[in-house]
Amino acid sequence: MAPRSIGFLLVTAALAMPPGSAADAGASAAVRVVTHDVPLDPDLERHVRRYWTPERMTATAARSTTGSRWMSYGQVGRTTGKVFFSIGGRDFLCSASTVRSANKDVVVTAGHCVKAGRGAWAENWIFVPGYRDGTGPFGGFTARRMFTPDPWSQGGDGDYDVAMVAVAPSGGRHVVDLTGGQHIAFGGPDGRSFAFGYPSTGAYDGERLAYCGGRPTADPRGETTGHGLRCDLTRGASGGPWLSGFDPATGTGVVTSVSSFKFADDHGTMYGPRFGDAVRRIYERAQNS
């Protein structure tokens, strides 16, 4: 079986993860939700905001020539954003999206954007919706609770590489009140999908929203229950939303997966996990937290 390069966002060498389980990622009711509470400490929140200066944000990307960009903006330009975090004393970046939720605080991203598989939880975690050229029009939202399925948290199973983050209000405002939120559905991805994110290597510099579109297909090797999309987005796009039923005129759609990994011998296909019952459960926990 070919190794997976998950975390193709990383500024260091990608982590090789074990093959996913043969079972449907959403089929097992036995999958536990793993929760990580971030201390509600005003001093810590101020530290995170001071830590991620515009200079440090742009320094996390390997800057090069500019690649394809999403030029229409619309709702997707507000709901999609960049995630900055630290693990083991090193800084990393990802992408994420707001989704409609009861508490108006939920952000969906990849599991490896909040926890290094069976390793450490992320620190200094902040979501910047609408990010562009080192800043965002809505400011930054720090994490208060993180949720992943147990197979990711305990075993780094790529078929469960999804996380929900309940973010703290900023200036007394909930993130979805400011940016709106995409719909979310479970059982996909289905039909034509558009993948969005902030790739930061190769033809991309990580400073503008980029995308690719196509029809996801099952893994021909049978090594993952996720679906693959022909896409050249690179490191930094991990955790970005896959939108089904996407309307380019309004920038709205339904989040049915997130960018997760590429196989080491196929850099042209990006895989996203299936949103099954395990993902539904972490979403429900997050929106009611």
Side-chain angles (χ1 to χ4, degrees), residues 225-247:
T225 61
H227 285 67
L229 183 67
R230 297 300 294 177
C231 187
D232 70 349
L233 299 189
T234 58
R235 297 176 183 177
S238 280
W242 290 24
L243 295 173
S244 299
F246 181 68
D247 181 356

Side-chain angles (χ1 to χ4, degrees), residues 82-242:
K82 208 164 178 177
V83 173
F84 301 88
F85 61 98
S86 306
I87 292 181
R90 306 188 70 175
D91 295 337
F92 302 102
L93 57 88
C94 268
S95 302
S97 175
T98 58
V99 291
R100 296 187 179 192
S101 54
N103 58 15
K104 302 181 180 180
D105 289 336
V106 177
V107 172
V108 60
T109 188
H112 66 265
C113 300
V114 304
K115 191 176 190 295
R118 62 178 68 90
W121 289 92
E123 299 177 323
N124 296 325
W125 197 99
I126 193 167
F127 172 64
V128 184
Y131 178 92
R132 181 169 176 158
D133 296 330
T135 188
F138 310 105
F141 293 81
T142 58
R144 58 183 179 83
R145 301 192 83 184
M146 300 173 174
F147 304 84
T148 67
D150 182 69
W152 174 259
S153 180
Q154 300 301 318
D157 187 336
D159 285 338
Y160 295 84
D161 185 19
V162 185
M164 302 286 171
V165 179
V167 297
S170 178
R173 303 287 300 276
H174 296 283
V175 64
V176 173
D177 283 336
L178 291 170
T179 67
Q182 301 287 355
H183 289 281
I184 187 170
F186 307 93
D190 295 313
R192 183 172 175 81
S193 296
F194 284 76
F196 291 87
Y198 289 88
S200 62
T201 60
Y204 305 95
D205 66 1
E207 295 304 297
R208 302 285 181 94
L209 186 63
Y211 77 103
C212 53
R215 187 172 293 275
T217 58
D219 173 21
R221 318 166 195 235
E223 297 180 21
T224 173
T225 61
H227 285 67
L229 183 67
R230 297 300 294 177
C231 187
D232 70 349
L233 299 189
T234 58
R235 297 176 183 177
S238 280
W242 290 24

Side-chain angles (χ1 to χ4, degrees), residues 9-100:
L9 77 161
L10 299 180
V11 295
T12 58
L15 299 173
M17 302 304 299
S21 65
D24 178 348
S28 173
V31 173
R32 292 192 310 115
V33 175
V34 179
T35 305
H36 174 64
D37 291 322
V38 179
L40 295 177
D41 184 342
D43 290 337
L44 176 61
E45 183 171 355
R46 284 192 292 270
H47 163 76
V48 174
R49 295 184 183 281
R50 287 195 301 266
Y51 183 84
W52 289 111
T53 63
E55 293 76 19
R56 181 171 266 125
M57 286 182 178
T58 56
T60 58
R63 300 182 63 88
S64 60
T65 59
T66 301
S68 298
R69 296 174 177 171
W70 176 251
M71 303 300 292
S72 298
Y73 200 68
Q75 186 75 352
V76 72
R78 298 165 61 91
T79 57
T80 312
K82 208 164 178 177
V83 173
F84 301 88
F85 61 98
S86 306
I87 292 181
R90 306 188 70 175
D91 295 337
F92 302 102
L93 57 88
C94 268
S95 302
S97 175
T98 58
V99 291
R100 296 187 179 192

